[in-house]
Amino acid sequence: MTADDNPTKEVKLDNQDPEKVKARLLAKYPPKVARKRAKQIVINKVEPDGNVPVISSNVRTVPGLMGQRGCCYAGCKGVVLGPTRDIINITHGPIGCGFYSWLTRRNQTDPESTPDGHNFIPYCFSTDMQDEEIIFGGEKKLKKAIQEAYDNFKPKAISVFSTCPVGLIGDDVHAVCREMKAKLGINIFGFSCEGYKGVSQSAGHHIANNGIFKHVVGLDDTIGEGKYRINLLGEYNIGGDAFEIERLFDLCGITLVSSYSGNSSIDAFANSHTADLNLIMCHRSINYVAEMMETKFGVPWIKVNFIGAAATAKSLRKIAQYFDEQELTDTVEQVIADEMPSVEAACADVYPRTEGKRAMLFVGGSRAHHYQELFGELGMKTLSAGYEFGHRDDYEGRKVLPTIKVDADSRNIEELEIKPDPERFSLRVNDVKKAELEAKGLNFGEYEGMMPEMPDGSMVIDDLSQYETDQLIKIFKPDLFCAGIKEKYAVQKHGIPLKQLHSYDYGGPYAGFKGAVNFYHEIDRMVSSRVWKYMRAPWQENPELSATYAWE
């Protein structure tokens, strides 16, 4: 394997006709439901011009179908703001809504060894609204909670997240935040991220992006040290991924100004607009900040992927290509040359046991896309993939954005009107240089989506339901299923190993070169284990052992 290897572009669904499989998935649905789901289940076909089938996405889950999605509040608090170590994040609502009041995704952080190197991630902050507050309002209790948090921890900032009951009773969290900000003299801001807004956690990502940009980005204009200054967006340091990526940046001499939001701090957010380039990992959760930062401050963005050795090498080369200096290019090539031998050795070791194995990936963000490269390095096939909360541009590429109609659910989310800052806007790369770099293959502000890189004939399924999961497993009996914690045990009961790609179970990091090695060994262990055959009782494996043949 080399850093330029690509996964195979051909796949056969075990001689199954994909259209017949699709029909089987839809067969038990009522006609109206079947018509809707048919638009969300497509058979991939990449045309010569790069076009792929249209897929319906970012639409409401049909009531009664058990999906994998989270709510708007989970996306805002749990995903985007949760990994920030020195902001106290208060959930305003009943404690039953407070699952994400405490971190749940194994986001790691490394507080600075300074007196104010706060780390509030291990704490759970909630107003714990009771019946009294639901009836008479909870603003007084929220003020007390903010005051108590300030008195006990003296944080740099406090943020407040509204849950469903708060929106229903009309508590004005923004007015409370303004009042307490004036009283305490620290940055305090709120998010109207009630769980019912939008159709999934994607709405919460958008709201979080808007809030961070409105209240934090641009507060510190200090230009820090570093010749090649970048931000890493959409990397949440699950299992220490960001630490491995930061290690590579340090080796290359690249300065990371801010990460959104893995291993992050509010000071870095405030200063992030001074970087010269934004790198986007998870396109869906963070593209809004990148676009607003480009409009207001002139910082361009490119799509990268640090999941997989080949993808990591390609992304490092993209950064070097952007800055276009031989010193950086040489350093990047040396780092890749130094890192690849151990990766190639690990891959060669496990490849005979993983080659030809079949995987399915149904994960949020860009992970269902990115991890296909890692499986390709192992010689594995992706039979089917999809997102929990993706939009059409995540599947088909950003070129479809002009054709996407804004529905009522999306109109619930505030759209900020961003204009170039009259004093601080600075075009990092002029039109001539930009055209020159694009001619060499560096695409700015572009994401081609998951489907153009998937093999023809593979099934792409948006917002997979539990029923469809069970059917796919029965039909294909994949060697590995990748999803989240909610689906883990239901899949394992089929005797199929599940790799949890939202919080990695207890593994990681999987990003970068060392992360790829970790992933190789982890997947080898999972698909080679004999334990899964013991998930079926002896009389299921051998019906003749039973007095009846009831078990199948």
Side-chain angles (χ1 to χ4, degrees), residues 26 33 100 108 146 150 242 287 316 324 383 386 436 445 490 495 524 548:
L26 300 174
V33 175
Y100 280 100
Q108 297 184 15
I146 293 173
Y150 177 78
N287 74 86
L316 290 175
D324 197 21
L383 295 177
E436 178 185 327
D524 178 33
T548 67

Side-chain angles (χ1 to χ4, degrees), residues 63 69 137 306 308 448 462 516 532 548 552:
R69 288 172 164 175
F306 288 100
E448 295 180 353
D462 181 67
W532 302 108
T548 67
E552 295 182 357

Side-chain angles (χ1 to χ4, degrees), residues 426-457:
S426 175
L427 200 61
R428 305 307 200 272
V429 54
N430 60 45
D431 292 340
V432 175
K433 183 64 176 179
K434 187 174 183 179
E436 178 185 327
L437 291 173
E438 288 179 336
K440 295 179 180 179
L442 184 64
N443 296 320
F444 290 91
E446 187 56 62
Y447 176 40
E448 295 180 353
M450 179 176 76
M451 292 168 63
E453 294 191 2
M454 286 187 69
D456 289 350

Side-chain angles (χ1 to χ4, degrees), residues 12 17 51 64 183 219 242 271 343 350 405 433 464 470:
K12 292 183 179 179
D17 183 341
N51 288 329
K183 177 182 179 181
L219 295 181
N271 188 245
V343 176
V350 305
K405 297 180 180 179
K433 183 64 176 179
L464 185 76
D470 293 339

